Amino acid sequence: MNPAPNLILVGPMGAGKTSIGRRLAERFGLEFADVDQVVVERCGATINTIFEHVGEAGFREREKAALAHVLAEEGKMVSTGGGAVLDCDNRSLMQRRGFVVYLRVGVEAQLKRLGRDRSRPLLRRGDREQVLRDLTAVREPFYMEVADLMLDTDGLSPGGATSTLAQLLASQWQRSERAA
Ligand code: S3P
C-alpha cells in the first residue's frame, strides 16, 4: 500500500488521461482536475493561443503554476498534460503529493486516437508520427521515473482501462492526508 493524498495521471497525448481520469474520479469519490483545463481557465485562452502568444516556455510556466495550485489540495484526481513531466520540480511535486499512474500508449494507437485533432499545438508542426516518436523518446524515461504504477492502454477502451486501473489501485494506493 502506497499512501498519497491525490491520484495523478501522466503520459503522452492520446493516452486517455482526461477520459480515464474523469471515470476514476467518480469511482473513488475524488474531485477531478485537468491541469490543461486549469491553465485555460486561468489564462482565459486556449492552449493554441497561449503557445502563439508566449511560446512553449510560457505555456510551461503556466502549467507549472497550475499543477502546484491543484496539488496544494487533497482528494483530487489530477490529469496532467503530456509535457508536465519535463520539469524536475513538477516531477518531485507529483511524487510527494500523489500516487502517480503512467498511462502508456504506442505511437500507432496515438495516431488513431488523436485523428485530426487541432487543439494540440505540438501536433501542428511537421510529420505527426515523427513528432510523436521524438516526444516519446525524450519523455518516456520521465514517465517511468515518476510512476508508482504503469498501465499500457493500447487496445483498451477508456472504460476497460478504468476498470483495470481501479482494481490495481484498490490494492496499491491508500488515500492519505497531508503528505507534505
Ligand atoms: C502537451 C500535451 C497537451 C497539452 C499541450 C502540450 C505536450 O496535453 O498540455 O498541448 O507537451 O505533450 P494532453 O497530454 O492532455 O494532450
Side-chain angles (χ1 to χ4, degrees):
M1 276 288 176
N2 208 341
N6 299 290
L7 271 181
I8 302 172
L9 297 182
V10 299
M13 295 178 264
K17 300 181 296 287
T18 302
S19 50
I20 295 168
R22 281 190 194 287
R23 288 173 166 84
L24 275 179
E26 248 180 58
R27 292 231 188 171
F28 285 92
L30 301 168
E31 196 184 326
F32 179 69
D34 182 313
V35 175
D36 278 343
Q37 196 50 43
V38 173
V39 173
V40 166
E41 280 162 18
R42 288 177 135 203
C43 296
T46 64
I47 306 251
N48 275 324
T49 306
I50 297 169
F51 266 68
E52 272 161 31
H53 284 265
V54 293
E56 180 169 351
F59 169 75
R60 297 289 169 216
E61 282 171 24
R62 287 156 180 79
E63 178 180 54
K64 183 171 184 168
L67 181 71
H69 174 74
V70 168
L71 288 180
E73 298 188 23
E74 321 221 307
K76 297 259 184 189
M77 169 72 251
V78 182
S79 288
T80 59
V85 293
L86 292 169
D87 182 283
C88 71
D89 296 334
N90 287 352
R91 295 199 298 279
S92 64
L93 180 68
M94 287 194 260
Q95 286 178 304
R96 272 186 286 125
R97 296 292 294 158
F99 184 93
V100 183
V101 179
Y102 166 28
L103 293 181
R104 195 205 153 271
V105 60
V107 170
E108 287 73 21
Q110 269 182 298
L111 285 167
K112 273 194 207 142
R113 290 183 197 170
L114 294 165
R116 294 175 174 274
D117 179 86
R118 289 275 165 268
S119 67
R120 292 167 169 97
L122 296 182
L123 296 182
R124 293 174 133 195
R125 4 177 133 141
D127 174 353
R128 270 188 170 207
E129 180 171 349
Q130 194 54 51
V131 168
L132 291 172
R133 290 198 189 284
D134 292 345
L135 290 175
T136 301
V138 171
R139 296 172 176 186
E140 175 126 59
F142 294 132
Y143 296 136
M144 297 299 288
E145 178 190 319
V146 290
D148 295 293
L149 174 66
M150 195 265 272
L151 180 74
D152 196 332
T153 69
D154 277 1
L156 291 179
S157 66
T162 304
S163 300
T164 305
L165 259 185
Q167 275 187 350
L168 293 168
L169 287 167
S171 63
Q172 295 190 34
W173 170 58
Q174 186 180 30
R175 185 169 168 176
S176 71
E177 308 294 320
R178 271 287 135 222

